[in-house]
Amino acid sequence: MRNALEPPKLRADLLEPEHRRGLRSAAALVAFLIFAVVLPLLARGAAAVVYTDTDFLIRYAVVLYAAVKISALLWHPDIRPVAGVFWIFVYTGMGLAPLAQLTTGRSTALAIQVDEGLLTLASFLTLLGCLCFDAAYHLRLRHRRQVSPGFRKLRSLQTLRFFSVASIGAALVYIAQVGGLGVFFLSREETSEALDAINPDSGQALRAIVSAAGSVTCLTALIFYLHVRRNRERPLAAVDVFLIAVLVVMNVIVNNPISNSRYWTLAVLFGLLLPLIRGRKGIFNVILGGGALGSILVFPLSDVTRRAAGTGNAVQFDSVWTTIATKDYDQFTMLANTLGYTQDHGLSWGQQAMGPLFFWVPRVIWPDKPYDTGVEVGMWMNSVNLNLSAPLWAEAWINFGLIGLIVVFAGLGFLAHRLDAGFRTDVLSRGSVGYLGISIFAGYLFILLRGSLLQSMGRLMILTLSILILTAVADRKERAKA
């Protein structure tokens, strides 16, 4: 209960001009009509096979739920980047793509192991995960002061300088290990092969640490420097200008979209764009709505640098619905395949989770180290291609079944609310830099949701360590004000 002597905090929407509230309401309504009505109807109109209304409605339920949540985020006065990424992923990867697969009768080659019963169960489990996330996210909104994360401040400019020098050194080591600058401008396949050649016996452990240290630290340092440059009243010293210039060059090399996955490119873009908008809700709405549309229209066609020159297939475009049904969005299908895997092999009861938790242990030391969940399910499917996704729903299910799914998504919802609170106007106004790390994590959530977790742990660990090194929690008196 609020102390009677404590002055009430003014809500952001009450301080907002009337015309801006009207624009937000209009944007939310338009988004709902597009995402919940127009696009599903277009997908239904593209039907090339016979299916039942029941099957359509089951998959449409996921689409509708995510569309409502995206519209609500556009309408709400606060900026909520983590929740925004979650609902974009659910809408396209777990909702609209499966709906397109149903109506077109087309799918990825991975669907050969899937029957209708498993697909229906996958839809219900997707909805359950969304419900758990949503319930945990909103559970304690009425006790906002109790869940406020306070805010984090930059330790010092000197700390940022030392960190930047170390990150540049790590990037140089990364570049040297894979064979020089040229490798980063060939293709993802060739860069990956060069990285694997560092020490083939170590598996992915060494690869994850080397690539993460070389890429994540440079990105984090640059984003923090952009924040300092933007908020500093006095000009930066020559050493800082030099470090910023070198960091820009290093990021162009190690984080370019040619040699990196599109999901990591999304994380880089979110990490750079969200700090620039800070409290500008209108720009965030453009990013949120544009991101949802881009995930449908642009993302499936942007994979032009995956293979080495002359070895990839030419980009072909049949229709929007065939494209998203057959390219990239295999997460829903892999969830169904994971259900089939556990029917044959049972749940791992946490054994599969040991791989991500101890990803840094080389396989030569731990021969029985679990494979990526996508790889494990792919071997069960006898798939030639083992570079398969394992969405967070599948990771939760293969470890602890229904209980695991409920706990994982409830935990993610609570974490998302805590992180999104860092973008509140009152927190930003106190000089918080925590929103910088939240911005990068929001983009990285695409990777965590897609899976496999084992592949994503290296960069997540380096990102977490980087934020902890560069920031400190404000003192108790400042924290109480937040």
Side-chain angles (χ1 to χ4, degrees), residues 61-183:
V62 179
V63 173
L64 179 61
Y65 196 157
V68 169
K69 300 307 299 184
I70 291 174
S71 302
L73 289 172
L74 293 171
W75 173 81
H76 199 279
D78 289 340
I79 294 176
R80 297 177 169 180
V82 181
V85 168
F86 179 84
W87 292 114
I88 288 175
F89 182 89
V90 170
Y91 180 81
T92 305
M94 306 300 288
L96 197 63
L99 193 68
Q101 291 169 354
L102 175 69
T103 60
T104 62
R106 303 282 297 276
S107 184
T108 64
L110 306 175
I112 56 174
Q113 302 292 332
V114 177
D115 58 42
E116 289 301 322
L118 292 178
L119 290 172
T120 300
L121 180 57
S123 292
F124 284 124
L125 292 178
T126 300
L127 277 173
L128 179 60
C130 292
L131 285 167
C132 293
F133 175 91
D134 206 16
Y137 190 92
H138 294 284
L139 184 62
R140 301 184 65 181
L141 283 180
R142 293 183 180 179
H143 305 283
R144 218 168 173 180
R145 288 177 58 81
Q146 296 181 20
V147 300
S148 172
F151 63 91
R152 302 188 72 87
K153 61 182 181 181
L154 181 65
R155 289 186 186 273
S156 67
L157 186 57
Q158 193 69 14
T159 301
L160 180 56
R161 288 169 179 166
F162 283 126
F163 181 84
S164 298
V165 171
S167 68
I168 292 169
L172 291 174
V173 171
Y174 180 26
I175 293 170
Q177 287 291 321
V178 299
L181 296 177
V183 177

Side-chain angles (χ1 to χ4, degrees), residues 23 28 40 53 110 112 126 151 153 185 200 221 229 239 257 285 299 314 406 429 440 452 476:
L23 287 175
D53 289 339
L110 306 175
I112 56 174
T126 300
F151 63 91
K153 61 182 181 181
F185 298 96
R229 174 65 182 84
V239 63
N285 281 357
F299 186 83
I406 293 171
S429 65
I440 307 173
S452 297
R476 291 181 179 179

Side-chain angles (χ1 to χ4, degrees), residues 31 35 49 57 63-64 108 113 147 151 174 205 207 218 221 243 290 325-326 340 365 379 385-387 395 404 462:
F35 295 128
V49 294
L57 290 174
V63 173
L64 179 61
T108 64
Q113 302 292 332
V147 300
F151 63 91
Y174 180 26
R207 165 184 175 168
C218 277
L243 287 173
T326 57
I365 298 177
M379 291 189 295
N385 175 24
L386 296 180
N387 183 24
E395 295 278 10
I462 298 297

Side-chain angles (χ1 to χ4, degrees), residues 157-297:
L157 186 57
Q158 193 69 14
T159 301
L160 180 56
R161 288 169 179 166
F162 283 126
F163 181 84
S164 298
V165 171
S167 68
I168 292 169
L172 291 174
V173 171
Y174 180 26
I175 293 170
Q177 287 291 321
V178 299
L181 296 177
V183 177
F184 288 89
F185 298 96
L186 296 175
S187 68
R188 284 163 47 194
E189 181 181 49
E190 289 165 296
T191 304
S192 177
E193 290 174 352
L195 197 55
D196 286 339
I198 294 176
N199 189 342
D201 295 332
S202 67
Q204 294 184 339
L206 184 61
R207 165 184 175 168
I209 294 173
V210 170
S211 62
S215 58
V216 177
T217 55
C218 277
L219 175 64
T220 307
L222 178 60
I223 290 173
F224 270 76
Y225 251 126
L226 293 177
H227 168 86
V228 170
R229 174 65 182 84
R230 184 178 181 181
N231 292 276
R232 189 177 174 85
E233 296 180 358
R234 294 177 297 172
L236 288 172
V239 63
D240 298 306
V241 175
F242 173 76
L243 287 173
I244 291 174
V246 176
L247 287 170
V248 169
V249 173
M250 289 299 172
N251 275 282
V252 169
I253 296 172
V254 300
N255 287 322
N256 72 76
I258 297 174
S259 57
N260 288 279
S261 72
R262 289 166 296 167
Y263 283 95
W264 175 242
T265 301
L266 286 175
V268 171
L269 290 175
F270 268 70
L272 291 171
L273 290 177
L274 287 177
L276 295 178
I277 70 171
R278 294 193 68 175
R280 296 180 179 87
K281 184 59 165 60
I283 301 179
F284 173 75
N285 281 357
V286 172
I287 293 176
L288 181 62
L293 289 175
S295 67
I296 301 166
L297 303 174

